[in-house]
Amino acid sequence: GISTDFLLLLFLLLLPARAEGGNPPRAPDAPDGSPRFAADTAARARLPETVRPLLYELLVQPNLTSLSFRGTVRVQLEVLQDTEEIVLHSKELLISRAELQLGPRGLLLLPLQVLELPALEQVALAPAGGGGPLARGGGYVLHVDFAGKLSDSFHGFYRSTYRTRDGEERVVAATHFEPTHARAAFPCFDEPAFKANFSIRVRREPRHMSLSNMPKLESVELPGGLLEDRFDVSVKMSTYLVAFIVSDFLSVSSTTQHGVKISVYAAPEKIDQTEFALKAAVKLLDFYDDYFGIPYSLPKQDLAAIPDFQSGAMENWGLTTYRESGLLFDPQKSSASDKLSITMVIAHELAHQWFGNLVTMQWWNDLWLNEGFAKFMEFVSVNITNPELEVEDYFLSKCFEAMEVDALSSSHPVSSPVEDPAEIREIFDDVSYDKGACILNMLRDFLTPEVFKRGIIRYLRRYSYQNTVNAQLWESFASVGALMKWYAEDGLDVHEMMDTWTLQEGFPVVTVEVRGREVRLSQERYLKNKEPTVDRVLLFTLFSRFLWHIPLTYITSRSNTVHRFLLKTRTDVLHLPEEVEWVKFNVDMRGYYIVHYEAGGWDALVSLLQHNHTALSSNDRTSLINNVFQLVPLDRALDLSLYLSKETEIMPVTQGLSELVPLYKLMEKRDMEDVENQLKAYIVNLFRELIERQSWSDEGSVSQRMLRSYLLLFACVRGHAPCTRAAGELFRKWKESDGTVSVPSDVSLAVYSVGARSEEGWDFLLDKYRRSLYSSVKSRIKTALCTSPLGHKLQCLEGEVLKTQDLPYVLVSVSRNPKGYRRAWDFLRANWERLLNKFDLGSPAIAHMVTGVTGQFSTREMLEEVSGTSLYRWHKCVFSLLRRRTFEKAEPTCSTCPACVT
């Protein structure tokens, strides 16, 4: 008989040829006049699972003069179901040719019609003139030629610029594809489950170099003088992890103990700031190799500092990219805080090489499987590899930041349904990152570190190069042999327990009432903005559906041994072996819940702190400060805060500041000057002794140095005379030397903030900002300029002075300045559409600006003003935040952000 292949070949020969040099034909209209395929695809946000990519052969050629690019992609396809069309993603690309090849060695190319679906960022491709379907099991190769413009945003294939010391502007072409922007660089199946191999070639001018995920195999000179860099075929990976860069960067390199080449790339004049990152990356990659017992998958790992970068960093497999401030470090210019943050960012991105790259979530609803694990592993890895950084001190702040969002009625579950790109971008937030990390830390504490480690290693090994869902992680823990005895004897079900933390939003407040040896426990969802006018029956109905399996821990006045109790019901009772003076639940705040103490419980803990605060750990003291300001009337919370006059540890001090500072920030905008000044004086006096013990130096441990930075900055901005005199003198000497006399890095922000109070000092700082090549120095000057009381000067920060990537931070910092919050609000409203074009609807940057700026308002008038804008209608968190600030107390701030501390 005649073979199927022969019939298909005859069919291809009879098809009309495509005009030479023309665009691919448009799909003919259906009888009702609508474009063909529209009825099948218009309502479909997700790609159909009819075909899947096996291998992309991608060629890209950016032009850094015209700021455009063109390229060709050949995609080997496997047909999973009979289909008449191939639907894939493409955004703002001009497709000039689309053809289909039968098999990888087929000689004939079938012209394809192209239907663009801009609303879905998709294109549908089908044989021109109709014809039979693509057959299930068949192998095809898709050929597409395309072109586009380098984006002015921070995603897709975009342009970045920097200036040399001589003022010359240079252009870099870089990529950032997560979550849904690979489609803006080349037509592709841009969903995480469509994993494939990638063979990438990049054409460039000889004055540039290029990078991609894999090592370069060769460079070939082309007619006309261009070079084509050809990279090795990648491992199987998702499109959002693909990366390529064309630049004039230089690099430094080293090799790990496991033989992986590590290179750090930066602009030529900043290459001397890369040594710290190189050493940190080598140490951390070796740690992960050993910890997971799974070798790093690629022969190299590059880290590139991109001059314009919206997020902190990106985990592209084999080519992680960073903001310059997240990678570059100078021992003479950078602070202890810089050292800690750079190490943590690198640890996060390298953890992703396993969590996210090797094993990837099936869909973005389980983003936390990537980001929660990477955030958690930051702390695990840095605590072991860099114990001098004392990173455990800062994990609590991540849980508090997550709770700030998670305590609002607008929060979402860790595993949250999302469909379109805007919804996907919205979940890149503190819930996915920080709450994810905190519930993993809670599980690790509950199961023991060794059992937890065995569970995650099993998960990584079982699902390498695959995609997973939430349940498969918990099943990996269930399969660990050490847990089987627990299942049999105690009925422990990790899956059931953790579903209560990942599939419902919010977190519980556990109420504790001690009566003799009996401890009565109850749980309910904690919400910040419970309205007193809400019907109590309705409120109970809403809350009754929330129930968690809470791994409680506690210590007592009689025993420092950590006791454990799994609370799985709404109420329960546990019995102590003897009566106690006090009990403290959630030891070291390792659980993701807060605790309210009734029947004199708070009084006992307040008394303990006032008379012997070191009886509790630093983390326990910190958690009490946080919990008391959420749960009891303000006067009782202030009673507990009195003990802070004896406190010396960084976390309780900064948490105390983060609870107290918003109280006077609230009054700054309510014409309550007398009360405002009394409260400011109270806070300064509370910490006066500790402030005056600080030296103006870079001496001490990392925690001691960071505490010094926060305290001296706070004291100087509050006008504490000894602080402003010392800072003023240091600024005078620095200015008179034209910046050649060094200021200790850890106290430089306090010095700059005092200097920015005068016109001459402000102008001098702005000039130094423009000229500096050190991102750490620029960051501190930027903060000082934003906090200046010279309100008329704040407008100078607009325009060409600051990079657009810094706008969200600057705008929110200005909004926290009592002289600038109206200006920030007016700027946000006036430039809303421009900001959406630059940062994207739903992005963390937009969310930060909206909540940060409106979060400074606390009157009914401002609530009404915000409610009448398109910003309010877009951002679901604004109403919750404003209601709380208007009718309750001010929003606690981030304890580690200089702008918040002030």
Side-chain angles (χ1 to χ4, degrees):
I2 300 175
S3 72
T4 304
D5 285 353
F6 177 80
L7 290 173
L8 184 57
L9 196 59
L10 183 62
F11 166 73
L12 295 178
L13 289 170
L14 294 175
L15 282 174
R18 179 173 62 86
E20 182 67 28
N23 290 330
R26 178 184 181 275
D29 290 343
D32 64 358
S34 62
R36 189 180 177 190
F37 314 126
D40 298 329
T41 58
R44 185 170 55 211
R46 300 277 292 276
L47 294 180
E49 297 180 1
T50 53
V51 300
R52 71 177 180 187
L54 302 177
L55 170 67
Y56 291 83
E57 296 177 76
L58 174 64
L59 167 66
V60 290
Q61 181 180 329
N63 186 317
L64 302 194
T65 303
S66 65
L67 303 180
S68 61
F69 65 93
R70 58 190 177 92
T72 298
V73 64
R74 297 175 74 249
V75 189
Q76 291 186 21
L77 301 173
E78 179 183 4
V79 179
L80 305 176
Q81 301 174 29
D82 290 357
T83 180
E84 295 185 355
E85 72 223 32
I86 300 169
V87 182
L88 69 164
H89 289 106
S90 176
K91 180 181 180 183
E92 298 177 356
L93 295 175
L94 176 63
I95 296 177
S96 57
R97 178 177 73 111
E99 296 175 330
L100 191 65
Q101 173 184 334
L102 175 60
R105 295 193 179 96
L107 299 178
L108 293 175
L109 296 178
L110 168 64
L112 299 176
Q113 297 172 330
V114 179
L115 172 68
E116 295 184 356
L117 304 166
L120 299 177
E121 301 176 356
Q122 296 175 4
V123 291
L125 309 176
L134 281 71
R136 176 184 176 186
Y140 302 84
V141 180
L142 176 66
H143 295 245
V144 181
D145 293 346
F146 59 91
K149 292 184 177 296
L150 291 176
S151 175
D152 287 326
S153 67
F154 299 100
H155 45 254
F157 196 14
Y158 73 97
R159 72 178 182 95
S160 174
T161 61
Y162 72 92
R163 290 193 179 276
T164 66
R165 188 176 275 107
D166 298 329
E168 177 192 355
E169 183 177 79
R170 296 186 181 176
V171 179
V172 174
T175 59
H176 187 108
F177 292 159
E178 189 182 37
T180 59
H181 298 296
R183 64 193 68 175
F186 60 100
C188 58
F189 298 82
D190 198 14
E191 294 180 4
F194 287 102
K195 288 191 170 187
N197 301 99
F198 291 82
S199 174
I200 295 175
R201 294 176 291 152
V202 178
R203 289 181 180 171
R204 59 176 174 85
E205 297 180 54
R207 64 194 175 105
H208 295 134
M209 52 80 67
S210 72
L211 297 170
S212 188
N213 304 83
M214 299 298 291
K216 183 170 65 176
L217 296 177
E218 61 177 348
S219 293
V220 177
E221 187 171 355
L222 304 176
L226 291 181
L227 297 177
E228 182 176 289
D229 294 334
R230 298 173 180 176
F231 297 91
D232 203 353
V233 178
S234 78
V235 294
K236 191 176 177 183
M237 64 184 183
S238 304
T239 49
Y240 78 90
L241 296 171
V242 174
F244 33 89
I245 299 170
V246 176
S247 70
D248 65 343
F249 289 173
L250 300 179
S251 67
V252 295
S253 300
S254 185
T255 304
T256 70
Q257 294 177 2
H258 297 273
V260 179
K261 182 181 179 180
I262 306 289
S263 301
V264 181
Y265 289 82
E269 292 179 338
K270 299 178 180 179
I271 196 64
D272 60 342
Q273 301 176 48
T274 57
E275 192 65 31
F276 177 82
L278 180 64
K279 292 180 179 178
V282 168
K283 185 185 293 187
L284 286 162
L285 198 68
D286 273 330
F287 167 81
Y288 287 131
D289 250 322
D290 295 335
Y291 183 88
F292 296 130
I294 301 171
Y296 173 67
S297 302
L298 308 183
K300 63 96 172 176
Q301 172 62 236
D302 297 334
L303 299 83
I306 309 299
D308 297 278
F309 204 82
Q310 181 179 339
S311 56
M314 177 59 206
E315 66 266 23
N316 316 301
W317 213 342
L319 176 52
T320 53
T321 48
Y322 303 77
R323 275 195 179 206
E324 290 184 329
S325 60
L327 197 63
L328 303 182
F329 181 90
D330 181 89
Q332 304 304 316
K333 306 286 186 181
S334 303
S335 67
S337 179
D338 296 325
K339 178 181 289 189
L340 175 64
S341 63
I342 289 171
T343 307
M344 296 292 279
V345 170
I346 295 172
H348 183 100
E349 303 314 319
L350 295 186
H352 269 309
Q353 308 303 298
W354 285 264
F355 285 103
N357 299 10
L358 183 65
V359 180
T360 312
M361 76 265 142
Q362 179 75 17
W363 180 243
W364 296 106
N365 61 301
D366 280 329
L367 171 68
W368 86 276
L369 289 175
N370 286 16
E371 299 300 347
F373 260 111
K375 177 63 68 176
F376 171 73
M377 289 306 300
E378 281 181 37
F379 290 87
V380 173
S381 62
V382 175
N383 185 50
I384 294 172
T385 60
N386 296 269
E388 75 283 358
L389 295 180
E390 302 168 298
V391 71
E392 282 192 324
D393 285 348
Y394 309 102
F395 191 80
L396 271 190
S397 65
K398 295 302 172 187
C399 299
F400 294 149
E401 288 166 21
M403 286 175 165
E404 283 300 314
V405 177
D406 212 17
L408 300 174
S409 57
S410 56
S411 186
H412 62 85
V414 167
S415 183
S416 188
V418 290
E419 287 297 325
D420 62 62
E423 289 179 342
I424 293 168
R425 288 190 290 269
E426 284 186 9
I427 63 170
F428 281 77
D429 63 2
D430 288 339
V431 172
S432 297
Y433 284 70
D434 296 340
K435 179 179 179 178
C438 292
I439 63 174
L440 288 171
N441 187 58
M442 176 174 66
L443 181 61
R444 180 180 187 243
D445 182 64
F446 181 60
L447 297 179
T448 73
E450 182 55 36
V451 170
F452 180 86
K453 178 180 176 180
R454 289 170 61 186
I456 61 174
I457 290 173
R458 182 180 181 87
Y459 169 76
L460 290 172
R461 286 178 174 167
R462 183 173 181 181
Y463 297 110
S464 291
Y465 304 104
Q466 299 179 54
N467 298 83
T468 60
V469 297
N470 215 24
Q472 289 167 313
L473 174 64
W474 312 135
E475 289 166 5
S476 296
F477 284 108
S479 302
V480 175
L483 282 177
M484 300 311 293
K485 183 179 178 181
W486 298 15
Y487 269 74
E489 294 181 358
D490 301 326
L492 174 66
D493 188 336
V494 173
H495 194 318
E496 182 184 18
M497 170 183 163
M498 294 309 295
D499 275 353
T500 70
W501 295 97
T502 59
L503 301 183
Q504 61 183 353
E505 69 270 24
F507 61 91
V509 53
V510 176
T511 299
V512 176
E513 183 180 357
V514 180
R515 294 188 177 183
R517 293 176 49 238
E518 184 179 85
V519 181
R520 299 185 178 182
L521 305 167
S522 64
Q523 62 162 295
E524 65 174 321
R525 184 185 178 189
Y526 174 71
L527 277 179
K528 287 184 182 296
N529 55 338
K530 284 188 285 186
E531 297 293 341
T533 56
V534 175
D535 182 86
R536 289 183 179 275
V537 175
L538 174 61
L539 199 62
F540 176 79
T541 303
L542 291 172
F543 276 41
S544 62
R545 70 183 179 90
F546 291 96
L547 183 68
W548 288 265
H549 291 190
I550 310 174
L552 299 176
T553 57
Y554 63 96
I555 56 175
T556 71
S557 59
R558 299 282 184 165
S559 173
N560 283 325
T561 300
V562 178
H563 302 275
R564 300 181 183 275
F565 184 83
L566 185 61
L567 179 62
K568 300 168 67 173
T569 55
R570 202 163 304 283
T571 62
D572 209 333
V573 178
L574 66 83
H575 294 86
L576 303 173
E578 57 187 329
E579 292 190 12
V580 298
E581 296 174 9
W582 54 262
V583 59
K584 166 66 173 68
F585 274 78
N586 202 357
V587 178
D588 286 333
M589 186 89 186
R590 290 184 180 146
Y592 189 71
Y593 60 94
I594 60 176
V595 184
H596 178 55
Y597 300 90
E598 289 191 340
W602 275 118
D603 293 336
L605 290 168
V606 169
S607 177
L608 174 66
L609 291 174
Q610 290 174 343
H611 294 96
N612 183 23
H613 68 280
T614 56
L616 297 176
S617 69
S618 171
N619 279 2
D620 275 333
R621 304 195 300 270
T622 304
S623 68
L624 287 176
I625 294 167
N626 171 270
N627 291 186
V628 77
F629 275 90
Q630 315 308 314
L631 296 170
V632 306
L634 185 58
D635 57 342
R636 294 186 66 194
L638 290 173
D639 285 343
L640 184 144
S641 75
L642 288 170
Y643 107 88
L644 286 168
S645 61
K646 306 172 186 177
E647 187 59 80
T648 60
E649 300 291 331
I650 185 169
M651 285 309 298
V653 169
T654 54
Q655 189 60 36
L657 285 171
S658 75
E659 302 292 352
L660 293 168
V661 167
L663 299 177
Y664 73 71
K665 300 295 284 184
L666 186 76
M667 298 168 192
E668 285 178 337
K669 306 170 187 72
R670 287 194 174 190
D671 194 25
M672 302 170 66
E673 188 173 352
D674 288 343
V675 180
E676 173 194 337
N677 289 333
Q678 289 177 37
L679 185 55
K680 288 178 179 177
Y682 167 78
I683 300 172
V684 171
N685 285 331
L686 198 60
F687 296 104
R688 180 187 299 273
E689 184 177 339
L690 188 59
I691 291 169
E692 293 180 353
R693 289 209 303 265
Q694 304 304 311
S695 64
W696 293 82
S697 70
D698 289 338
E699 299 173 352
S701 68
V702 169
S703 289
Q704 289 170 338
R705 293 171 62 185
M706 291 177 64
L707 178 60
R708 179 184 303 128
S709 298
Y710 299 139
L711 285 172
L712 293 179
L713 174 62
F714 168 76
C716 285
V717 173
R718 294 283 63 80
H720 184 50
C723 182
T724 56
R725 281 196 301 269
E729 180 62 18
L730 285 172
F731 185 81
R732 181 188 63 79
K733 293 179 179 178
W734 181 65
K735 180 174 175 296
E736 288 177 353
S737 73
D738 195 28
T740 58
V741 171
S742 63
V743 176
S745 300
D746 296 330
V747 300
S748 59
L749 180 52
V751 172
Y752 298 158
S753 296
V754 170
R757 293 183 171 190
S758 71
E759 298 261 354
E760 187 179 358
W762 202 98
D763 292 339
F764 181 78
L765 283 164
L766 185 61
D767 180 67
K768 289 301 175 188
Y769 178 90
R770 287 192 175 106
R771 296 173 182 271
S772 179
L773 292 175
Y774 300 96
S775 55
S776 58
V777 172
K778 292 171 79 78
S779 177
R780 291 192 290 275
I781 292 177
K782 178 176 61 185
T783 299
L785 296 176
C786 292
T787 58
S788 170
L790 304 176
H792 64 285
K793 284 287 191 181
L794 298 177
Q795 65 185 4
C796 300
L797 296 175
E798 300 173 11
E800 300 284 325
V801 177
L802 299 170
K803 275 190 168 288
T804 306
Q805 68 172 11
D806 297 325
L807 181 58
Y809 175 85
V810 170
L811 191 64
V812 173
S813 296
V814 169
S815 75
R816 289 178 176 140
N817 185 333
K819 302 293 186 182
Y821 73 97
R822 284 294 326 192
R823 185 182 300 278
W825 169 237
D826 291 341
F827 179 90
L828 185 62
R829 286 187 300 173
N831 295 277
W832 180 241
E833 294 301 326
R834 287 173 55 202
L835 292 170
L836 287 183
N837 289 335
K838 190 70 178 179
F839 294 102
D840 263 358
L841 183 66
S843 67
I846 289 290
H848 180 58
M849 286 187 281
V850 173
T851 57
V853 171
T854 60
Q856 308 310 307
F857 303 150
S858 59
T859 64
R860 290 178 183 272
E861 292 75 20
M862 289 309 303
L863 175 62
E864 292 170 1
E865 185 174 333
V866 173
S867 299
T869 66
S870 59
L871 282 72
Y872 172 79
R873 290 189 292 274
W874 171 75
H875 202 283
K876 62 187 179 181
C877 291
V878 170
F879 181 72
S880 296
L881 290 164
L882 276 178
R883 291 289 294 179
R884 179 162 183 258
R885 289 163 175 78
T886 304
F887 304 115
E888 301 178 34
K889 73 181 183 70
E891 183 77 2
T893 53
C894 160
S895 62
T896 58
C897 171
C900 289
V901 171
T902 57

